[in-house]
């Protein structure tokens, strides 16, 4: 893995020994996180498959600058960050966004084209409100703890387990992830709720893969299915997984699904 900076933004990259595709992959993380969520498994795995794989930390996240102004950042700011990193790449990438990152990808497509896009447990184009009500109804205690984290407060380690995982994860691994979690922009949360929903009529329509998780309490499977219906594509729901699909024990199933879809739909390999 190579860590570099594009102006004030952290970019983590893994290059293959032999590149199979001209288009690189650019991964966009979700709320409370950074590029590190992709470096755990996905970046090295996709590089080993022959992809040039990159992940950015949005401003105020991970190793990027601007943590002191996190609450002022809008979804539009995050879209600009994606555009800035893409301008530094050799070619237009396949965009892969998780949760809030999937929403940022949808907003990016209002003004730009890419070879393909993948939405993983993504905030739907209709926004966060339905997910917020679902969480409030199903797990009101978890909703309160996430709001505490949003405001920069400390939460119990089990909150992270309940929010992200349905499969086994060790306490040591969980503590390591917890140390890298952080507050999120409240302005961005409002943007995803009501103020900056995607303009479907303006969006480019690249090949699109919509993925979700059966046990996801933050972005339930029924909302992932709604996203897929909105865009007129099939959905794929991974059984027995939680919101953090790229970190779950069976993460490789997700990675293989993305690889196989890219090979078949985008590059025309396979049957």
């Amino acid at each position: 893995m190579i860590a570099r900076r594009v102006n004030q933004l952290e970019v983590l990259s893994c290059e293959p020994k032999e590149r199979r595709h001209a288009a690189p992959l650019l991964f966009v993380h979700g709320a409370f996180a950074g590029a590190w969520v992709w470096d755990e498994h996905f970046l090295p795995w996709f590089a080993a498959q022959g992809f040039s794989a990159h992940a950015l930390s949005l401003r105020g996240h991970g190793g990027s600058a601007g943590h002191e102004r996190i609450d002022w950042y809008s979804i539009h700011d995050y879209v600009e960050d994606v555009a800035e990193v893409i301008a530094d790449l050799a070619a237009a990438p396949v965009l892969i966004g998780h949760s809030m990152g999937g929403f940022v990808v949808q907003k990016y497509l209002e003004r730009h084209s890419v070879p393909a896009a993948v939405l993983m447990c993504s905030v739907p184009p209709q926004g966060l409100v339905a997910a917020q009500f679902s969480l409030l109804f199903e797990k009101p205690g978890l909703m309160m703890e996430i709001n505490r984290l949003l405001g920069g407060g400390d939460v119990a380690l089990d909150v992270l387990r309940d929010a992200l995982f349905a499969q086994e994860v060790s306490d040591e691994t969980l503590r390591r992830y917890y140390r890298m979690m952080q507050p999120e922009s409240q302005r961005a949360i409002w943007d995803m709720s009501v103020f900056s929903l995607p303009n479907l009529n303006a969006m480019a329509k690249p090949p699109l893969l919509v993925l979700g998780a059966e046990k996801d309490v933050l972005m339930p499977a029924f909302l992932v299915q709604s996203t897929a219906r909105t865009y007129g594509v099939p959905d794929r729901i991974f059984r027995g997984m939680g919101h953090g699909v790229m970190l779950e024990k069976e993460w490789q199933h997700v990675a293989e699904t993305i690889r196989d879809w890219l090979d078949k739909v985008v590059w025309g390999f396979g049957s």
Side-chain angles (χ1 to χ4, degrees):
M1 188 272 292
I2 299 171
R4 59 192 180 91
R5 299 189 77 81
V6 175
N7 293 326
Q8 298 299 307
L9 299 173
E10 175 188 50
V11 178
L12 305 183
S13 301
C14 282
E15 294 291 349
K17 292 181 179 179
E18 182 178 353
R19 186 175 299 178
R20 294 176 57 213
H21 306 294
L25 308 180
L26 180 60
F27 295 89
V28 187
H29 64 81
F32 308 106
W36 61 267
V37 299
W38 305 109
D39 187 46
E40 187 78 0
H41 303 298
F42 270 44
L43 290 183
W45 188 88
F46 275 99
Q49 307 302 307
F51 295 91
S52 177
H54 311 270
L56 81 153
S57 290
L58 301 168
R59 66 184 71 185
H61 296 77
S64 293
H67 282 253
E68 70 284 355
R69 290 179 51 82
I70 186 70
D71 272 335
W72 293 96
Y73 299 139
S74 66
I75 290 295
H76 176 72
D77 292 326
Y78 295 161
V79 171
E80 286 191 341
D81 293 343
V82 172
E84 189 171 4
V85 172
I86 288 177
D88 189 66
L89 297 177
V94 172
L95 282 177
I96 302 170
H98 176 255
S99 195
M100 180 182 77
F103 191 89
V104 172
V105 167
Q106 293 171 73
K107 293 294 291 182
Y108 179 85
L109 292 175
E110 289 180 354
R111 296 176 177 269
H112 307 276
S113 297
V114 294
V118 180
L119 306 180
M120 299 172 54
C121 302
S122 174
V123 176
Q126 294 80 13
L128 267 178
V129 172
Q132 292 166 332
F133 273 106
S134 176
L135 183 61
L136 183 62
F137 180 77
E138 296 290 338
K139 290 183 173 287
L142 181 58
M143 178 76 166
M144 292 176 60
E145 291 301 301
I146 289 174
N147 285 335
R148 189 195 306 272
L149 185 61
L150 177 62
D154 293 327
V155 298
L157 196 64
D158 281 343
V159 171
L160 184 59
R161 189 191 308 272
D162 291 344
L164 294 183
F165 297 98
Q167 299 180 343
E168 181 183 356
V169 56
S170 71
D171 288 346
E172 179 184 358
T173 298
L174 205 59
R175 280 191 291 268
R176 181 163 56 85
Y177 294 161
Y178 184 86
R179 288 193 295 269
M180 293 185 283
M181 300 297 285
Q182 61 170 83
E184 186 49 66
S185 165
Q186 298 196 34
R187 180 178 177 185
I189 298 297
W190 277 108
D191 280 350
M192 290 188 289
S193 299
V194 290
F195 293 126
S196 188
L197 301 184
N199 180 350
L200 300 181
N201 293 326
M203 288 176 62
K205 300 297 192 296
L208 183 67
L209 178 63
V210 176
L211 306 177
E214 179 191 21
K215 303 293 187 180
D216 192 341
V217 297
L218 299 184
M219 208 55 57
F222 76 88
L223 289 179
V224 173
Q225 293 164 339
S226 174
T227 296
R229 286 195 300 271
T230 298
Y231 291 116
V233 299
D235 60 81
R236 170 69 189 272
I237 306 297
F238 292 94
R239 304 187 74 173
M241 284 194 174
H243 188 67
V245 288
M246 77 289 283
L247 299 173
E248 284 275 34
K249 183 171 64 175
E250 296 178 351
W251 62 268
Q252 191 166 327
H253 293 334
V254 183
E256 289 170 345
T257 297
I258 295 171
R259 178 202 61 194
D260 293 347
W261 178 79
L262 288 173
D263 281 349
K264 181 178 180 180
V265 174
V266 181
W267 289 290
F269 300 155
S271 56

